[in-house]
Amino acid sequence: MDLEQLKAKVRDIPDFPKPGIIFKDITPLLSDVDAFQAIIDTFARRYADKSIDAVVGIDARGFIFGGALAYRIDAGFVPVRKSGKLPHETHQVEYDLEYGTDKIEMHIDAVGPNHRVVIIDDLLATGGTAQAACQLIEKSGATVVECGFVIELGFLNGREKLKQHEVFSLISY
Ligand code: AMP
């Protein structure tokens, strides 16, 4: 399956979760076996020979792609979660939203110095979430090899916010 075919399977949901947002629904990419395999295979080819110790998936859709990728490239999987969900001691980073702030967390012992990690999420919008995830990983002393996304909304300039890191996406708008 090529990238145009993948792109055709992303479903636009206007005004979800609030007016003015066009939500990119990736569930058709998950239920279609060829699409899901094409996504994981593309990530796996890119990261298989990069000595990745852990794939860090961002809550919640990043878990789906990140978990499958981790298995494929013989890496561990580490969840970055919204505040209050992780049971053990955590590193925390607060970041700005359009209105207000949000907080994400990662267990303090999930990755450590000398670990090479890839961050995976379904979608790069403004880049605030991924930037906060990079900061979490750096608090642990690990190295962010790249941030990988299925979809990038290029017009929101998330890459600019992540300019200290490598960024890869399969599908761009
Ligand atoms: P951001 O921090 O602005 O880059 O937002 C990225 C996070 O919000 C990701 O975890 C996405 O799943 C989610 N997100 C932001 N905008 C959209 C959108 N238009 N469609 C689907 N998910 C989105």
Side-chain angles (χ1 to χ4, degrees):
M1 181 169 287
D2 64 28
L3 291 177
E4 281 310 310
Q5 289 170 307
L6 280 184
K7 197 169 185 174
K9 289 195 175 289
V10 177
R11 183 162 52 195
D12 284 359
I13 311 283
D15 299 319
F16 182 89
K18 53 185 181 184
I21 305 276
I22 298 176
F23 190 86
K24 297 291 185 190
D25 177 17
I26 52 91
T27 62
L29 295 174
L30 300 176
S31 57
D32 182 304
V33 62
D34 293 331
F36 190 44
Q37 287 181 353
I39 290 166
I40 300 305
D41 288 348
T42 305
F43 280 140
R45 275 195 298 275
R46 191 169 176 86
Y47 300 123
D49 60 354
K50 295 220 166 81
S51 304
I52 303 300
D53 299 291
V55 176
V56 172
I58 299 180
D59 200 344
R61 290 177 292 274
F63 296 170
I64 303 164
F65 299 105
L69 174 64
Y71 182 83
R72 273 291 303 279
I73 64 171
D74 299 322
F77 177 78
V78 172
V80 159
R81 297 215 64 184
K82 307 265 169 64
S83 184
K85 300 284 187 185
L86 287 171
H88 183 53
E89 204 177 328
T90 60
H91 288 304
Q92 310 181 345
V93 171
E94 204 170 87
Y95 60 102
D96 290 331
L97 299 174
E98 196 179 351
Y99 302 103
T101 61
D102 216 340
K103 202 193 283 174
I104 55 173
E105 302 185 312
M106 183 176 71
H107 278 151
I108 51 164
D109 55 358
V111 292
N114 307 321
H115 281 163
R116 290 166 54 79
V117 315
V118 164
I119 296 174
I120 296 288
D121 203 359
D122 66 326
L123 185 140
L124 173 63
T126 66
T129 312
Q131 188 192 38
C134 290
Q135 288 167 0
L136 276 178
I137 287 155
E138 281 157 4
K139 280 189 182 207
S140 294
T143 300
V144 178
V145 174
E146 189 161 86
C147 301
F149 305 91
V150 181
I151 298 170
E152 174 177 2
L153 303 183
F155 53 89
L156 293 175
N157 293 322
R159 259 176 208 264
E160 179 62 22
K161 195 166 266 175
L162 294 174
K163 63 174 179 264
Q164 282 154 351
H165 299 280
E166 299 295 323
V167 174
F168 171 72
S169 62
L170 280 84
I171 300 168
S172 297
Y173 293 89

